[in-house]
Structures are given as structure tokens and as C-alpha cells.
Amino acid sequence: MEKIKMTTPLVEMDGDEMTRVLWQLIKDELLTPFVDLNTEYYDLGLVHRNETNDQVTIDSAEATKKYGVAVKCATITPNAARVKEYDLKEMYKSPNGTIRALLDGTVFRAPIIVKGIEPYVKTWKKPITIARHAYGDVYKASEMKVPGAGKAELVFTAEDGTQTKELIHEFKGAGVLQGMHNLNGSIESFARSCFNFALETKQDLWFATKDTISKKYDHTFKDIFQEVYDNDYKAKFEEAGITYFYTLIDDAVARVIRSEGGYIWACKNYDGDVMSDMVATAFGSLSMMTSVLVSPNGYYEYEAAHGTVQRHYYKHLKGEETSTNPIATIFAWTGALRKRGELDNIPELCAFADKLEKACIKTVENGEMTKDLALITTLDNAKTLNTQDFIKAVRKTLEGLL
Ligand code: NAP
Ligand code: MG
């Protein structure tokens, strides 16, 4: 078979630890034998981030703006222990945070559904994609401990000096205070990313806040979504046969549990933080979650939702056998290659991405899987493979499909 040619480079962001090991295996076994990979390579591994004072992360985000599509390996977000371990010049910020800030994107997380790995919620048949707003609210709040009696007020001073005040509380004793904010521009970008992604994946979009209680703050989210929808998306949604649905967050939670899935659930920052872990766990496995950052300008960055699987990496370094699940990382590659194929009009590349995904699913459904899945599968013929052998098994299935 002749290798599939690519016309535009894909931005490749390499990463850390066990996922870096997977990255190379995936390329060697599942990609380069079939595709003439055209990538612009950025090494976001912590060693190289440190060498470049994290400039490489910025450069990779800028390249994503230039070419439109990126694929990213999981990376270490440094903490104090990592600063010591890697002798870092400073405690660099999370690469995902840096990239997201530069692309102004929204992260969509969706589970990969496989027969034999059953969701805890019996009614769920299709994936539920969670979109989390990534700016503001409690994550950019100012807080105060109130020592004793006194009056707390919200004060806004306009540029011309005029002040608007709102009483928060007349404290009779000690307590706590929090002031948070969001920006109309950020909420609108979030809304547009969600509407675009819904159109692209032909799925309904749900959005929920607590606007009955938060009549100005949350209500603004509701209003901006509705306005953007009415002005720019209503006709497109009708044409695509999908719906936009707004409800209260508590009603949404109840409906999600009773639903069969197959839609995008847009969440405010905190709701998305909590609900994405709940939905991921309820679908069965963190190692089967995909993640894509979509910018309102149409830039895409694909990755696995899990981290660098540190514990497995230390075993790997000691020469011990590992059984690390590469599926979400493979799906990051297929998502990116398919998107590149769509944008550049290379149907063979899209077809290859489809087949590689199918090969992963079929391999697991045939009973060959990594340990994380073997522990939870309902299949009775499950065979646990090590990391390398599982990737080889996927390759065998893929060759049968090609
Ligand atoms: P993690 O790498 O997601 O792993 C947590 C645990 O989940 C693992 O120890 C493993 O359980 C299981 N697991 C996750 N992915 C798996 C896979 N593909 N196959 C098999 N099992 C898998 O999270 P973490 O240990 O909290 O974080 C490690 C590093 O990743 C941190 O430095 C963090 O900063 C970084 N991180 C990066 C990203 C990102 O780049 N997007 C996201 C999250 C975390 P067992 O050990 O029980 O087998
Ligand atoms: Mg969280």
C-alpha cells in the first residue's frame, strides 16, 4: 500500500513520561507505516520546556494558529516535587492553560464507547460530551476571611470615577467573602465554540446555569448564549436537525442521568470541573476519554484527557512490564488527522483515521485489552496485554481493515 500523503503540517506537541513512550510507539507502529506523516514537531516534554524557559509551549500554540490543527501528548504540570525532580528554573504554568489562553478555546471531553466496558448508568448508550468554560468564576476569585462584625459591599468604580455599590452582607460576626467575575467576551467565545462544535459533530447542545438564583451573573450567561444562538446559529441548527436546549443546572443533572447520551453538555467553569470527572468515571475509565480544544476561530488541538501516567512510567524505567492504555492518545492522533484530512480535502486520511479508531475498538471487543480495561470489562474472554503487545494487536486489526 502506498503511504497517504499530507499537504499541510500537523502541529505535533510531544510530552512526558509514559505518554511520551506511548507517543513514539503509536507513531512507529500505527502511523508512519501507513501515513507519510507531515508534522511540525514541538517538544513540550518538561526537560525541553525548561531549556526554552517554556517558550516552546508558546511557539506550539502560535503554530496551531498558523496551521489550524494540533495533536498533543500529555504533559507534566510542575508542582514543588517536579521542580526538584527536574531541577527546574521555575514552576512553569500548565501547558494546557498556556495553550488555552493563547487560543481562547473551549475543551470538549468525550468518552470512547466500547462493548464490554459498560457505563455505570444503564441508560447511557452514546457518549456525553462535556464542554467546560475555561475562564473566570471561582477560579479567578478574590477571597477574604471576615474577622468580625462589619459591612461588606461590592464596589465598581468606572473609568470616570463613578461608583456603583451593592451590599453583600452586614456581618454580625466572623465569616468569609468571595468576589468573582466573568467577561462577556469570554462567555461569547465559549458559546460560539459550543455552537460550532455541535454543528460539526451534529449533536444537540445543552446548557445550564443557576439563573433563577443568580439573576444577574448566571442570567448573563443564559442571555449571551441565547443571543448568539438567535443571531448566528438558529437557522444552521434547524438545517442540521439539531437543537439548542437551556435548562437549570439541577434539572440538567437529573436529565443527564435519565438520558441515553449523544449530546454536548456545556457547563460553567466549576460545573464543568466537577461534572466532567463525574461523567468520565461513570462511563467507566479515564483512559478512554478524549479531549479537544476548539477555539472560536476554528483552531483545534486534540489530546487524551488523562495525564502522563507517572506510576507506569516509573515501572517502565525500572525495566518492568507495563500495561498502559494508548487508546485515548491514539484517538487524539486520529481526531487531528481526520480534521487535517477534512480541511485539506484528503479523504484517504479521514478514512485511515476512521479505520484506526475502529481497529482500537474491535481489538478490545475481541477481548484483547490493557489491564485498566480488563479489570472492569464484562467480557468473559478478556486477555490482558502489555503496552507493546496491545499496540501490536491494534496494528494487526488495522491491517485487516485496510
Ligand atoms: P494520570 O496520569 O491521568 O493517571 C492517574 C491514574 O489513572 C494512573 O496512575 C492510572 O492508574 C490511571 N490511568 C490514567 N491513564 C491511564 C492509561 N492510559 N492507561 C492505564 N491507566 C491509566 O494522572 P496523575 O497521575 O494525577 O498525573 C500524572 C501527571 O500528569 C501529572 O504530572 C499531571 O500534571 C499530568 N497531567 C497532565 C494532563 C494533560 O497533559 N492533559 C492531564 C492530567 C494530568 P493506576 O496507576 O492505578 O494504574
Ligand atoms: Mg477537576
Side-chain angles (χ1 to χ4, degrees):
M1 195 188 105
E2 213 187 313
K3 286 195 197 182
I4 300 163
K5 295 261 182 313
M6 295 172 64
T7 48
T8 314
L10 181 62
V11 179
E12 175 183 353
M13 305 169 174
D14 206 345
D16 288 301
E17 302 195 308
M18 199 59 205
T19 40
R20 189 179 179 99
V21 176
L22 291 176
W23 199 254
Q24 197 59 48
L25 284 170
I26 291 168
K27 283 171 67 176
D28 292 346
E29 286 289 328
L30 302 174
L31 300 174
T32 51
F34 311 101
V35 180
D36 205 353
L37 264 194
N38 178 2
T39 71
E40 194 164 293
Y41 180 85
Y42 292 86
D43 184 0
L44 267 58
L46 193 46
V47 173
H48 192 239
R49 268 184 279 154
N50 193 43
E51 283 164 3
T52 63
N53 303 316
D54 210 23
Q55 184 61 35
V56 65
T57 307
I58 295 164
D59 293 345
S60 72
E62 292 302 335
T64 307
K65 287 187 182 172
K66 179 171 167 198
Y67 296 115
V69 187
V71 58
K72 182 179 167 292
C73 180
T75 46
I76 292 168
T77 297
N79 55 16
R82 298 297 200 167
V83 171
K84 221 169 135 201
E85 183 184 355
Y86 284 83
D87 191 18
L88 299 180
K89 290 182 251 176
E90 59 178 288
M91 202 186 289
Y92 301 103
K93 282 191 268 184
S94 139
N96 291 54
T98 303
I99 295 165
R100 200 162 57 205
L102 287 166
L103 300 184
D104 185 22
T106 297
V107 173
F108 296 84
R109 273 177 151 206
I112 300 156
I113 307 269
V114 184
K115 278 193 217 89
I117 310 298
E118 304 303 328
Y120 288 96
V121 180
K122 284 183 299 234
T123 51
W124 289 357
K125 302 276 183 279
K126 299 179 206 158
I128 295 170
T129 303
I130 295 237
R132 172 182 170 188
H133 185 210
Y135 179 83
D137 300 351
V138 74
Y139 302 87
K140 269 210 183 314
S142 303
E143 303 192 327
M144 223 186 250
K145 284 191 172 199
V146 174
K151 183 163 81 171
E153 289 177 305
L154 278 179
V155 183
F156 172 73
T157 312
E159 272 180 335
D160 68 5
T162 41
Q163 290 198 327
T164 321
K165 286 188 188 173
E166 187 75 36
L167 176 70
I168 299 172
H169 193 64
E170 299 263 11
F171 284 87
K172 303 277 183 282
V176 281
L177 263 175
Q178 183 179 69
M180 58 186 196
H181 78 281
N182 221 298
L183 305 171
N184 288 7
S186 173
I187 301 168
E188 184 179 329
S189 288
F190 175 50
R192 287 189 188 279
S193 294
C194 291
F195 289 127
N196 287 340
F197 198 67
L199 279 171
E200 189 171 318
T201 57
K202 294 225 172 354
Q203 297 184 88
D204 291 344
L205 177 68
W206 296 16
F207 181 47
T209 72
K210 194 72 185 174
D211 66 288
T212 46
I213 299 297
S214 174
K215 290 191 168 61
K216 293 201 175 108
Y217 199 103
D218 278 21
H219 214 290
T220 298
F221 280 77
K222 177 184 178 182
D223 291 344
I224 290 175
F225 263 71
Q226 194 61 47
E227 201 180 301
V228 171
Y229 177 69
D230 290 341
N231 291 341
D232 294 337
Y233 291 95
K234 194 162 192 275
K236 292 180 196 155
F237 266 52
E238 279 163 12
E239 200 183 301
I242 57 174
T243 55
Y244 168 58
F245 168 65
Y246 177 86
T247 187
L248 276 174
I249 184 71
D250 29 354
D251 179 49
V253 169
R255 284 171 186 262
V256 163
I257 296 298
R258 290 194 309 259
S259 77
E260 62 164 38
Y263 50 86
I264 299 162
W265 181 13
C267 292
K268 284 181 61 199
N269 210 348
Y270 175 81
D271 297 339
D273 186 353
V274 177
M275 291 306 161
S276 64
D277 280 357
M278 196 270 289
V279 169
T281 309
F283 265 107
S285 174
L286 180 62
S287 51
M288 295 292 275
M289 269 296 202
T290 63
S291 174
V292 53
L293 176 76
V294 182
S295 88
N297 314 309
Y299 310 130
Y300 295 81
E301 183 238 289
Y302 294 84
E303 66 172 323
H306 61 75
T308 60
V309 212
Q310 182 181 15
R311 214 178 56 81
H312 295 208
Y313 181 60
Y314 290 157
K315 276 176 75 178
H316 171 80
L317 285 182
K318 279 193 263 169
E320 291 172 26
E321 191 177 82
T322 57
S323 182
T324 314
N325 189 338
I327 293 179
T329 306
I330 296 172
F331 272 60
W333 275 99
T334 53
L337 290 172
R338 185 187 298 105
K339 177 53 74 186
R340 207 53 280 165
E342 283 167 17
L343 293 173
D344 298 341
N345 197 16
I346 310 172
E348 311 87 81
L349 196 56
C350 301
F352 173 77
D354 291 346
K355 284 183 183 146
L356 179 48
E357 290 182 358
K358 207 182 229 170
C360 292
I361 292 171
K362 217 172 145 196
T363 305
V364 174
E365 290 181 349
N366 286 342
E368 294 184 303
M369 58 192 81
T370 44
K371 189 176 164 197
D372 55 310
L373 298 184
L375 287 170
I376 56 171
T377 185
T378 52
L379 298 175
D380 41 27
N381 62 340
K383 205 167 103 200
T384 306
L385 300 184
N386 67 34
T387 309
Q388 288 79 0
D389 288 348
F390 178 73
I391 289 176
K392 289 211 174 82
V394 172
R395 171 147 180 187
K396 209 161 153 232
T397 317
L398 175 65
E399 282 171 343
L401 291 171
L402 285 170

